Amino acid sequence: MNKTVLITGATSGIGEACAKKYAADGDRLILTGRRADRLNALKTELEKDFSTEILALIFDVQDKEAVDKNLGTLPTEWQKIDLLINNAGLAAGKDSFENADINDWETMLNTNVHGLLYVSKQIIPLMIANKKGHIVNIGSIAGKEVYENGNVYCASKFAVDAISKSMRIDLLKHSIKVTCIHPGAVETEFSLVRFKGDENKAAATYNGMVPLSGNDIADSIFYCTQLPDHVCINELNITPTQQANAYYTHRSL
Ligand code: NDP
Ligand code: 8X3
């Protein structure tokens, strides 16, 4: 309640679910994404439903200049950020190493790793000035185990895991908590993006199982961020009940 929360990638999926969850809690939100129509519609909806203040910032996290311009010049009343949720990310393609498109690899590394770093570098000094803060990074079970054809997506999420551990150590002295959330299969636009609009391939990802929803992940993130100042959940691995890890899914439906 009454926190200022910055959520990257709020135009769909997990980020959008987080935006709704924190708005319902009465928090002020800075929401980001590239799709202006969606972001502005979400801002209008949340301001109407929850009478909260929303700052919508449209930029690509891969573009360091755009990140710096948008987050480096926040109005003073938006600079006391209590919580940063580094959620913007994607998988592009799921191809064997020798066939994968190098542009897809660059997009994943530039978004999932560089984008997260650019955003964090802008927000951490504000948290340090405030003498506390909480950063939640969205990793993946793909950052815990490498699976066939996951190659660079897995590498990008292993990087998020390592960056989260490193942030936690370095930011200890500033009382900044760092939590890394590692979801398994969550039914969002993730698979549609990964398979470049192929709806059949995207749907097949969740065949025979009940996947997680964006709300399931938002609920877990919310829990992690409501604990007393002296308690930090370092990481959570969250899968559907029918998924043990990146390799084993029981498709029984
Ligand atoms: P969605 O595709 O539904 O949402 C992704 C969000 O990221 C969108 O809001 C999108 O906004 C934003 N985004 C992507 N690229 C950029 C960019 N270059 N600049 C700014 N924003 C960007 O997928 P999810 O909600 O599932 O994904 C959220 C996070 O969760 C990702 O980091 C993903 O890797 C991770 N994850 C997802 C899992 C799943 O099974 N769904 C499992 C494990 C982790 P826009 O296009 O408007 O820019
Ligand atoms: C998304 C989950 O298993 O498709 O990060 O990589 S998985």
Side-chain angles (χ1 to χ4, degrees), residues 118-179:
Y118 299 155
V119 170
S120 303
K121 277 297 264 184
Q122 283 296 336
I123 302 308
I124 287 168
L126 302 177
M127 290 182 168
I128 291 174
N130 197 32
K131 298 187 170 37
K132 64 189 271 198
H134 196 159
I135 299 173
V136 174
N137 294 327
I138 307 300
S140 170
I141 57 167
K144 292 289 172 185
E145 288 153 318
V146 176
Y147 56 83
E148 189 176 17
N149 299 335
N151 44 67
V152 172
Y153 178 66
C154 294
S156 75
K157 291 299 186 179
F158 269 76
V160 172
D161 192 33
I163 290 164
S164 302
K165 287 176 175 148
S166 164
M167 276 181 171
R168 192 174 307 114
I169 295 166
D170 291 355
L171 300 178
L172 267 185
K173 58 187 172 292
H174 299 295
S175 303
I176 296 174
K177 300 185 192 187
V178 180
T179 300

Side-chain angles (χ1 to χ4, degrees), residues 91 94 139-143 147 153-154 157 183-186 190-191 194 205 243 245-246:
K94 191 177 184 186
S140 170
I141 57 167
Y147 56 83
Y153 178 66
C154 294
K157 291 299 186 179
V186 190
F190 175 85
S191 293
R194 174 174 237 176
T205 308
Q243 184 181 39
N245 55 29

Side-chain angles (χ1 to χ4, degrees), residues 6 11 16 36 51 57 59 68 73 163 170 195 202 209 247 253:
L6 165 51
T11 55
E16 183 181 355
S51 311
L57 299 176
F59 61 89
D68 291 352
T73 59
I163 290 164
D170 291 355
F195 296 116
M209 69 185 295
Y247 309 120
L253 303 178

